[in-house]
Amino acid sequence: MNRIAMKNIYISLFSFLLILSTVGCMREEFEDLPLARYSRTADIFTDNFVGLGSDFYFPFQGAKPDVFSVDESESYEGIASIRIDVPDANDPGGNFAGAIFRIDGSGRDLQDYNALTFYARASQAATINEVGFGQDFEGDTYRAFRRNVQFTTNWQKFIIPIPDPSKLLQERGVFQFAAGGIGLEGEEVGFSFWIDELRFENLSSLAQPLPRIANGENQSVSSFDGVTLPVTGTEVILNADGVDISVVASPAYFNFRSSNPAVATVNNLGQVSILSAGNSTITATIGSEENEINAAGSLTVNSNGPFDAAPTPPIRNPGNVVSIFSDAYNNVQVDNYNGFFEFATTQGGAINIAGDNIISYTNLNFVSVNMFNSPDVDASAMTHLHVDINVRENVDPGDFLRLQIINNNGPTETSGAVNLVNYQPLLTEEWVSYDIPLSDFVGLGETNDVDLIFFISDGTISDIFVDNIYFYR
């Protein structure tokens, strides 16, 4: 090979290496560049809406849809404000006002702000049930709001603190409100309120964040493998000029930890997945690792291992069954499994445990399965009532559980009750099946329109599972 050819090869090789070196340096420089951020616009409404797009107003389901307008005759500053006309309780269009403002398009980067602020006044002193941001009807991941905010007839500034601004990189839900009328339940009278100078701000006066989970308490719950439980009672309290402001904060603002991941894990949405028998305590922090703040409260999960389902009901001809609650049969329409009657302390209702549908009642004194709005639940051709009961606590002497059936609730109703312990004893953490002749429900009369089935313990036992409620012949 001659010298000229060798020289050309060396030049080409040098050029190639130079290009590689340049590209490598450029790539390193690009990697060091900060990521592009979405819009950091702070204003939502001044004299008009700012950067929300043309389709941004979404009422809540059941709310009156046409309560919102821009009022050019009323403002805190400038020439206009947002006006909301809360309806009367008997308004045919809806008995409350509630909606979100959602950006039509890409969301906003709100890392630079620590609060949503606005000025507001009402036509008369009134309580606004909820005011906040982060609700977008697409997951509501970073929802945060204040409850029971008091508006007066004078313009006042209101602050909704952002629990952790670093989470809000592309937020679309920039405002939400919900309000009912004023007065006695069922007779509420409507009113109007105005919002102005609605924007995000960075307030130096906001300080001393106090995050809480489980309402700041150390709660404990018993459960089973395969169950997923939510962490509830998540909020952050911040101080603004000496006044504490409590914000209900979605669990996604928190960083959760499990003391025993082999028993239970927890994701960034506060969903606890139970994996095996044992105990695990869920705690949380808020903020970055460098500046994290421990949240008050915890949730201890006590897993009993695999769930012991109720006995599988016998296979019966569907024509011989009127089922209220059972996976084995088609059930009638049920309004709810907990009527929350006055003086009732009972909590709970229908739940799913590891794929099995059951009814769980806690703090039981009395509770009812309600079928007022169902087509007549006709059990007049049936001869027995079946129910499975599992008491989730120690059964002491004198503990009892009564079943009461009410037919044709109202002026012509009849009812009858039986005490289950007269048939078989209640057992601790074991399913007991009861098959009770309907003739034993003395005073019941017809069963052609069963409206209510009551479980009554008068507080002698508090926690029970119920399954397979059905009439049969």
Side-chain angles (χ1 to χ4, degrees):
M1 184 179 293
N2 61 39
R3 294 174 62 188
I4 294 176
M6 288 294 295
K7 182 178 181 181
N8 289 336
I9 291 173
Y10 290 146
I11 291 172
S12 299
L13 180 61
F14 176 77
S15 299
F16 178 68
L17 292 174
L18 180 62
I19 291 171
L20 284 179
S21 174
T22 303
V23 170
C25 293
M26 289 174 63
R27 184 169 65 181
E28 289 177 1
E29 289 178 3
F30 287 145
E31 288 175 350
D32 291 339
L33 290 175
L35 295 174
R37 294 174 63 177
Y38 286 88
S39 169
R40 286 172 270 180
T41 302
D43 290 344
I44 300 168
F45 181 94
T46 52
D47 285 333
N48 211 328
F49 289 96
V50 180
L52 300 192
S54 59
D55 185 22
F56 63 86
Y57 178 74
F58 297 88
F60 292 139
Q61 184 174 4
K64 187 176 182 181
D66 55 350
V67 300
F68 150 70
S69 62
V70 174
D71 190 341
E72 296 183 351
S73 64
E74 179 72 36
S75 66
Y76 171 76
E77 192 172 280
I79 60 172
S81 66
I82 300 168
R83 175 173 174 153
I84 306 297
D85 296 312
V86 180
D88 297 338
N90 59 0
D91 192 307
N95 63 2
F96 77 101
I100 66 169
F101 294 168
R102 185 180 72 195
I103 293 175
D104 182 13
S106 299
R108 294 187 186 177
D109 184 334
L110 302 176
Q111 295 177 84
D112 299 334
Y113 312 109
N114 62 7
L116 172 70
T117 67
F118 58 89
Y119 288 84
R121 81 170 193 87
S123 57
Q124 57 184 301
T127 300
I128 311 302
N129 302 94
E130 292 184 6
V131 186
F133 63 90
Q135 191 166 17
D136 56 13
F137 294 167
E138 296 175 345
D140 304 338
T141 304
Y142 294 113
R143 186 182 182 195
F145 61 93
R146 288 177 59 180
R147 287 194 176 110
N148 300 324
V149 181
Q150 304 298 315
F151 285 6
T152 69
T153 56
N154 298 317
W155 286 103
Q156 293 177 282
K157 186 172 184 178
F158 294 90
I159 298 170
I160 314 293
I162 300 177
D164 182 358
S166 69
K167 301 277 190 179
L168 303 184
L169 305 180
Q170 191 184 354
E171 183 55 57
R172 296 183 66 200
V174 291
F175 187 60
Q176 69 176 75
F177 66 88
I182 300 170
L184 298 174
E185 185 175 355
E187 301 176 4
E188 294 93 342
V189 177
F191 65 97
S192 299
F193 65 88
W194 293 264
I195 301 284
D196 200 4
E197 303 304 307
L198 178 62
R199 59 171 58 91
F200 292 98
E201 289 191 68
N202 188 19
L203 302 177
S204 60
S205 60
L206 272 181
Q208 303 170 0
L210 299 172
R212 308 201 306 180
I213 67 171
N215 298 314
E217 302 171 353
N218 295 319
Q219 297 181 354
S220 180
V221 61
S222 294
S223 195
F224 303 89
D225 296 358
V227 174
T228 299
L229 302 171
V231 177
T232 59
T234 50
E235 65 174 332
V236 179
I237 301 170
L238 290 103
N239 187 276
D241 296 323
V243 177
D244 284 341
I245 301 174
S246 176
V247 177
V248 178
S250 293
Y253 281 108
F254 292 77
N255 311 306
F256 294 97
R257 296 187 178 94
S258 169
S259 67
N260 191 348
V263 172
T265 59
V266 56
N267 65 16
N268 64 326
L269 299 179
Q271 299 291 324
V272 181
S273 297
I274 301 174
L275 306 177
S276 64
N279 303 320
S280 180
T281 298
I282 307 301
T283 55
T285 63
I286 202 166
S288 64
E289 289 186 10
E290 299 80 14
N291 301 297
E292 67 181 6
I293 301 170
N294 292 324
S298 65
L299 175 67
T300 297
V301 175
N302 305 304
S303 174
N304 297 309
F307 177 62
D308 181 18
T312 302
I315 299 175
R316 302 180 188 274
N317 185 329
N320 294 331
V321 175
V322 176
S323 182
I324 309 301
F325 184 90
S326 177
D327 288 340
Y329 302 104
N330 291 326
N331 299 318
V332 300
Q333 176 185 323
V334 173
D335 300 340
N336 55 68
Y337 298 97
N338 189 340
F340 295 103
F341 283 101
E342 187 176 9
F343 307 120
T345 60
T346 309
Q347 301 296 308
I351 63 171
N352 185 284
I353 297 181
D356 189 34
N357 294 306
I358 66 165
I359 301 173
S360 174
Y361 292 131
T362 60
N363 204 26
L364 174 68
N365 62 343
F366 68 91
V367 69
S368 68
V369 177
N370 297 333
M371 295 161 284
F372 299 116
N373 296 314
S374 177
D376 291 350
V377 178
D378 187 357
S380 58
M382 305 297 114
T383 59
H384 289 73
L385 173 67
H386 177 95
V387 64
D388 295 320
I389 302 291
N390 187 323
V391 179
R392 308 303 303 164
E393 62 187 67
N394 289 330
V395 178
D396 298 320
D399 287 352
F400 67 89
L401 187 64
R402 288 200 304 271
L403 256 64
Q404 182 182 18
I405 300 173
I406 294 181
N407 190 74
N408 195 17
N409 180 68
T412 59
E413 74 179 29
T414 61
S415 68
V418 298
N419 192 331
L420 293 184
V421 298
N422 292 336
Y423 298 84
Q424 292 190 74
L426 299 166
L427 300 177
T428 298
E429 296 187 354
E430 289 188 35
W431 287 101
V432 181
S433 296
Y434 296 91
D435 290 275
I436 306 163
L438 291 178
S439 58
D440 287 1
F441 289 85
V442 177
L444 176 60
E446 292 291 329
T447 53
N448 63 333
D449 181 16
V450 177
D451 287 327
L452 295 139
I453 299 176
F454 275 94
F455 296 86
I456 304 164
S457 75
D458 288 343
T460 58
I461 54 174
S462 295
D463 299 345
I464 62 172
F465 289 160
V466 182
D467 202 355
N468 297 317
I469 311 170
Y470 59 85
F471 298 96
Y472 70 94
R473 64 183 175 191

